[in-house]
Amino acid sequence: MKPAARQSFTKHFEKIPHIAYEGADSDNPLSYRWYNADEVIAGKKMKDHLRMAVCYWHTFRGTALDIFGPGTLVRAWEDGSNSVDMAVKRTEVVFDFITRLGLPFYCFHDRDVAPEGANLTETNKNLWAVAKRLKELQAATGVKLLWGTANMFSHPRFSQGAATSPNADVFAYCANSVKEMLDVSKFLGGENYVFWGGREGYNTLLNTDMARESDHAGAFFHMAADYAKKIGFKGQFLIEPKAMEPTKHQYDFDAATCLAFLRRYGLEKTIKLNIEQNHALLAGKDFCHELDVCRINGVLGSVDANRGDAMNGWDTDQFPNDYRECAQAMLIILKNGGFTSGGLNFDAKVRRDSYDVEDMFHGHICGVDAWARGLRIAAKIAKAGKIDKFIKDRYASYDKGVGKEIESGKATFESLQEYILKKGEAAGNASARQEYLENLFNSYC
Ligand code: XLS
Ligand code: NI
Ligand code: NI
């Protein structure tokens, strides 16, 4: 870590050391047991494989309010106002936190960093006032912006959607939001720009013209792409699928649904996907299924690294802790050639009764180590090559004879009928060996 990153901007984390790698046997809960940023694994430093980011909203704007009661997290640095002054002061706490964790990136929505003003002109001005301070802090610490985004779901004006709202003024309002945030993301060197659908969806077809809403969303993305090109913003556009919550039918249900949308509007070369573990669960899919759908379609962009609870149907946004799932995910990411512009963003929050600043650190340390351990395991599995070989061998019948003719496009129904009639019956299937493979996978953990 560069010496500059050791500086403390605030006194709020005085009792917390800079989190260092101490190895698997350490009994210090404020240390990394698996994440050793500069250690080379599978040809690359761990920090460059994982590209981990702190998210501004949960960790610095969340108060843990829920529908049954108000927030419970009282942070000493907050003065209770939602002023620009407070917004600027808060940035120093954020960077103090990130540098103590030694992570290379952060992510934010426009409204996380700066409040709305009395009118839209003032709102835009507020955003730029804070962005200037963020740029100084990035330069002082070396922390970079993984992605920027705009919050187009909290304010009541977005209650019927953003670019898919039936109200054209809301569409225009959102054009301003994304335009400003693209400018800010460029200003801060953001490596990606994320669109999570927010309230883009519907609750009943009795009031919804799905075709028009879909066309409006397609037009919105084209305008965003045109503007990014115009200003020379080089960051990767990402859509973050989510199946439900807040609306019943979210338009970006899952990876496959997003792909169909991108292809319908000719956006498949412009936009990749940001896959969130918890959102995959809400779609009734495995996280790794969603990642692999992206990989085989060339749209694996980035990951919101959190975890949901398989027993309930909402976005619990917990810190990831299942290193075996992280290992399987890392296998897919490695197969994809690793991240390019993307990374792992901890879109996760501490529980409502985890009141202390220490808990913010424990949550992140747990997530960082789960993924770091997953990377170590995945690298071992990839190097051994046994699982890859098993999968390759399973399809060996397509490497020769009739299978090869099918894959090369030479076969027809007639040629195949002639072949199989002569044979009279298909060759017997080999065992798929799931139990053997699950045991083999565990042996690397
Ligand atoms: C909400 C989403 C959101 C996006 C950013 O469920 O996960 O936090 O990541 O808008
Ligand atoms: Ni997310
Ligand atoms: Ni989410």
Side-chain angles (χ1 to χ4, degrees):
M1 171 114 354
K2 284 184 290 178
R6 287 264 173 211
Q7 76 196 62
S8 295
F9 298 103
T10 68
K11 57 179 181 6
H12 299 292
F13 306 126
E14 256 166 9
K15 289 199 211 108
I16 312 282
H18 281 83
I19 310 301
Y21 172 67
E22 292 184 6
D25 296 332
S26 170
D27 63 1
N28 173 10
L30 291 172
S31 73
Y32 293 127
R33 297 190 173 96
W34 304 95
Y35 181 60
N36 188 11
D38 290 314
E39 185 180 331
V40 174
I41 305 267
K44 226 158 63 176
K45 289 185 177 170
M46 291 186 91
K47 64 179 179 197
D48 298 328
H49 272 293
L50 299 166
R51 295 169 58 80
M52 292 187 282
V54 169
C55 89
Y56 218 101
W57 52 103
H58 285 310
T59 300
F60 287 96
R61 303 315 310 278
T63 58
L65 69 108
D66 68 16
I67 51 167
F68 299 103
T72 54
L73 306 180
V74 183
R75 302 303 188 199
W77 52 87
E78 295 290 330
D79 65 10
S81 77
N82 193 18
S83 64
V84 179
D85 191 43
M86 181 63 237
V88 172
K89 269 194 267 170
R90 186 183 298 116
T91 59
E92 308 202 343
V93 187
V94 174
F95 277 75
D96 193 1
F97 180 76
I98 303 172
T99 51
R100 273 169 203 270
L101 285 171
L103 298 185
F105 291 102
Y106 74 120
C107 300
F108 68 85
H109 302 80
D110 50 1
R111 290 293 79 77
D112 302 332
V113 299
E116 288 203 4
N119 53 55
L120 190 50
T121 307
E122 203 179 293
T123 298
N124 290 344
K125 224 174 80 196
N126 291 352
L127 177 63
W128 280 99
V130 183
K132 287 192 181 111
R133 185 65 189 132
L134 291 171
K135 186 160 184 160
E136 288 166 6
L137 288 165
Q138 287 185 202
T141 59
V143 172
K144 295 187 285 183
L145 180 63
L146 185 64
W147 48 264
T149 187
N151 178 331
M152 303 192 294
F153 42 87
S154 293
H155 191 281
R157 80 174 70 81
F158 306 121
S159 57
Q160 299 185 39
T164 69
S165 167
N167 178 353
D169 271 6
V170 173
F171 186 110
Y173 194 100
C174 294
N176 169 85
S177 301
V178 173
K179 180 175 173 292
E180 291 298 303
M181 264 312 292
L182 284 171
D183 284 329
V184 165
S185 300
K186 186 190 172 206
F187 175 69
L188 297 176
E191 301 195 17
N192 305 271
Y193 188 88
V194 165
F195 298 88
W196 165 57
R199 295 179 198 273
E200 309 290 39
Y202 70 94
N203 293 318
T204 173
L205 283 176
L206 295 176
N207 62 18
T208 301
D209 185 334
M210 197 169 12
R212 283 182 91 170
E213 295 200 359
S214 176
D215 287 352
H216 297 163
F220 193 84
F221 284 116
H222 275 290
M223 288 182 205
D226 289 347
Y227 186 70
K229 199 166 167 199
K230 191 165 167 197
I231 63 171
F233 174 66
K234 297 273 177 326
Q236 173 66 49
F237 276 14
L238 301 167
I239 288 180
E240 182 177 322
K242 183 172 182 179
M244 62 192 79
E245 195 203 31
T247 74
K248 176 172 161 67
H249 300 280
Q250 293 283 128
Y251 290 137
D252 301 332
F253 188 91
D254 63 357
T257 309
C258 289
L259 269 165
F261 172 85
L262 293 177
R263 288 174 182 155
R264 177 168 183 198
Y265 294 99
L267 290 160
E268 69 275 20
K269 298 246 156 38
T270 313
I271 305 183
K272 292 184 177 177
L273 302 185
N274 181 41
I275 298 299
E276 177 167 319
Q277 197 273 5
N278 204 155
H279 295 183
L281 282 192
L282 295 182
K285 303 277 166 59
D286 282 343
F287 176 41
C288 290
H289 168 84
E290 289 292 90
L291 290 174
D292 217 35
V293 168
C294 291
R295 182 186 67 83
I296 67 174
N297 286 286
V299 294
L300 178 47
S302 202
V303 167
D304 266 9
N306 62 9
R307 85 173 199 273
D309 186 322
M311 309 278 256
N312 63 28
W314 69 89
D315 214 5
T316 59
D317 286 333
Q318 287 163 263
F319 281 93
N321 70 350
D322 181 351
Y323 61 86
R324 291 165 71 261
E325 186 182 49
C326 297
Q328 215 186 333
M330 273 316 300
L331 258 183
I332 296 166
I333 293 163
L334 291 177
K335 236 189 207 171
N336 194 57
F339 288 123
T340 44
S341 64
L344 299 172
N345 166 50
F346 292 110
D347 190 354
K349 60 190 182 208
V350 295
R351 298 302 88 188
R352 193 163 183 267
D353 45 4
S354 296
Y355 313 115
D356 302 336
V357 291
E358 281 88 336
D359 298 314
M360 297 163 57
F361 284 89
H362 291 311
H364 282 85
I365 291 169
C366 181
V368 168
D369 265 349
W371 276 91
R373 190 170 182 181
L375 167 62
R376 289 175 187 276
I377 295 166
K380 271 196 279 176
I381 294 175
K383 187 164 178 224
K386 286 193 190 175
I387 293 177
D388 274 348
K389 180 164 185 311
F390 183 90
I391 294 175
K392 189 167 184 305
D393 291 349
R394 190 162 177 238
Y395 296 86
S397 66
Y398 282 89
D399 295 335
K400 54 179 192 309
V402 81
K404 201 169 177 185
E405 277 170 25
I406 293 171
E407 283 200 348
S408 66
K410 275 198 206 125
T412 62
F413 268 12
E414 291 92 325
S415 74
L416 293 173
Q417 183 178 45
E418 195 192 322
Y419 163 82
I420 202 69
L421 277 175
K422 212 177 285 165
K423 244 189 145 170
E425 178 55 281
N429 291 320
S431 169
R433 297 247 187 280
Q434 183 167 336
E435 298 74 12
Y436 158 77
L437 290 161
E438 286 172 349
N439 197 27
L440 176 63
F441 183 93
N442 279 357
S443 74
Y444 294 101
C445 300

